[in-house]
Amino acid sequence: MSSLPHARSNHGALPRPADREASDFARDLLAGLSARPKHLLPKYFYDSVGSNLFERITELPEYYPTRTETGILADKAKAIAGFIPSGAVLVEFGSGSSAKVRLLLDKLPRLRAYVPVDISAEFLDEEAARLRGEFPALDIVPVAADFTTGFDLPPSLREAPRAGFFPGSTIGNFEPPAARDFLRLAARILGSRATFVVGVDLVKDGRILEAAYNDAAGVTAEFNLNILARANREFGASFDLGAFEHRAFYDAERSRIEMHLVSRKAQNLRVLGRSFAFAAGESIHTENSYKYTLDTFSTLAREAGWRSTAVFQDEAALFSVHVLRPETFSVQ
Ligand code: SAH
Ligand code: AVI
């Protein structure tokens, strides 16, 4: 596993995560715009602007996942917390505003530490500072990292038992093979006696799904377009945001929402010294959001070495929260 620096005050030879992130974005942007079909990785939505836009999405009436998962966690917090041993380090993958973990923290007074991991470094720091104000006795150790590449826990925390939290159905933004790879990596990070709590959005009527990704207020469109706005901000790219249209639709066969940015006209653009041609109607595929059933997710987890030991869902079966344990876990 490669290791990433945890501190953002790194004055040594290694690039700071923010610098590394910017150069990864440049490389992947050029590769994605050169590919056919054009595509970008959804992790690049999340600079500070993107993280704030995502927070607005979570409040939209059409975007049921956040309030539904929050409802499940609020109802089942005690039962879920019961799987996490006292003295554990709780690692959250893609923590964003750390809103949902508060429900678990309230029930876990004896945690060794909370480690929010997120690629959106500035937003992560702000949210960690806010959380410290609310949980002054808790050791909060933010790690700015890409959770797909692995990271080390600070040495002082390496001996404690570990639990993972991965809410929001961010697992759905991976292709299924990449989701398996991520789950295997999480197993290595969390160890053989881990508990891993994963929020997974469920397959449902396509109309509910399409409404969730095509909100009337246009916030999801702004979130999608932010990936181009970010390239303009960071690299002086020349994307005219008005010349691209947000499109999101459900592919029932693949059980996924696809998000695209569709060029409204034929256009040529310069990005980092290179020129890219777009035909009218040509799209950049920016995100997939896979939806699972309880069984398809349990199977995926099993293929990555995890067993779903408990699963909770809301009454309308919109969303699920799985409690995973390593297949080899045995109660001692
Ligand atoms: N967990 C929150 C936020 C979900 S949004 C919730 O349930 O509401 C997805 C979060 O994952 C964002 O905060 C984003 O910055 C982070 N993220 C996305 N890809 C990532 C990656 N590869 N590595 C680390 N963080 C990532
Ligand atoms: C973070 N992730 C699970 C969100 C999702 O629903 O796939 C991102 C998102 N994209 C559009 N709206 C929200």
Side-chain angles (χ1 to χ4, degrees):
M1 189 199 313
S2 67
S3 58
L4 289 174
H6 345 98
R8 252 154 277 106
S9 55
N10 178 350
H11 302 295
L14 278 173
R16 287 174 297 125
D19 298 341
R20 181 183 304 202
E21 165 66 7
S23 61
D24 288 353
F25 181 32
R27 182 200 59 213
D28 289 344
L29 181 66
L30 292 177
L33 293 178
S34 307
R36 297 288 175 278
K38 293 182 169 67
H39 58 85
L40 295 174
L41 287 171
K43 65 181 179 183
Y44 295 120
F45 285 134
Y46 303 96
D47 62 352
S48 279
V49 175
S51 293
N52 280 295
L53 282 167
F54 180 76
E55 287 310 303
R56 285 175 55 202
I57 288 177
T58 65
E59 287 159 15
L60 293 168
E62 298 94 336
Y63 196 73
Y64 65 85
T66 306
R67 65 172 174 278
T68 309
E69 185 181 29
T70 302
I72 298 169
L73 292 170
D75 281 357
K76 304 296 178 192
K78 203 163 166 223
I80 294 170
F83 287 93
I84 299 174
S86 127
V89 172
L90 180 62
V91 180
E92 179 169 358
F93 299 86
S95 49
S97 63
S98 292
K100 294 166 187 166
V101 80
R102 286 166 163 84
L103 297 164
L104 298 183
L105 295 179
D106 281 338
K107 303 280 188 261
L108 291 166
R110 280 179 290 280
L111 268 192
R112 168 65 189 83
Y114 167 59
V115 179
V117 181
D118 207 288
I119 202 164
S120 190
E122 229 180 283
F123 192 77
L124 172 71
D125 274 349
E126 288 164 11
E127 295 303 325
R130 202 202 310 257
L131 197 65
R132 279 191 193 103
E134 288 171 46
F135 293 86
L138 179 64
D139 194 5
I140 299 174
V141 187
V143 172
D146 178 340
F147 54 51
T148 61
T149 56
F151 53 89
D152 289 334
L153 291 183
S156 60
L157 301 180
R158 288 192 196 141
E159 300 310 315
R162 293 170 195 175
F165 185 43
F166 193 28
S169 206
T170 304
I171 189 106
N173 297 133
F174 290 120
E175 293 304 302
R180 273 190 291 271
D181 288 347
F182 169 77
L183 288 169
R184 282 191 200 103
L185 177 62
R188 288 210 297 280
I189 293 170
L190 297 174
S192 59
R193 300 201 43 80
T195 299
F196 195 14
V197 179
V198 184
V200 185
D201 198 11
L202 294 171
V203 168
K204 60 184 62 66
D205 187 326
R207 285 166 300 188
I208 299 176
L209 286 165
E210 290 192 346
Y213 292 82
N214 290 285
D215 61 288
V219 184
T220 309
E222 205 180 332
F223 173 75
N224 196 4
L225 283 160
N226 179 55
I227 208 160
L228 304 184
R230 181 178 175 186
N232 288 350
R233 283 192 295 274
E234 291 188 15
F235 315 125
S238 58
F239 290 107
D240 169 6
L241 302 192
F244 286 89
E245 184 186 16
H246 164 75
R247 188 167 298 160
F249 58 87
Y250 185 54
D251 179 339
E253 235 162 75
R254 298 196 215 191
S255 306
R256 73 184 197 192
I257 285 280
E258 288 189 16
M259 272 199 343
H260 294 260
L261 290 166
V262 182
S263 180
R264 295 180 193 269
K265 59 180 187 189
Q267 49 181 324
N268 273 298
L269 290 167
R270 286 198 72 75
V271 182
L272 289 158
R274 286 184 42 195
S275 174
F276 294 94
F278 287 79
E282 186 176 357
S283 95
I284 312 173
H285 189 170
T286 50
E287 186 181 63
N288 289 319
S289 192
Y290 281 85
K291 310 302 168 186
Y292 289 90
T293 64
L294 299 184
D295 278 353
T296 57
F297 184 74
S298 300
T299 301
L300 181 94
R302 197 175 332 110
E303 289 163 354
W306 294 96
R307 187 161 34 90
S308 182
T309 31
V311 59
F312 304 99
Q313 59 179 343
D314 58 298
E315 270 180 19
L318 295 175
F319 202 94
S320 62
V321 176
H322 288 253
V323 179
L324 307 180
R325 285 263 168 88
E327 203 91 74
T328 52
F329 186 101
S330 62
V331 184
Q332 286 174 341

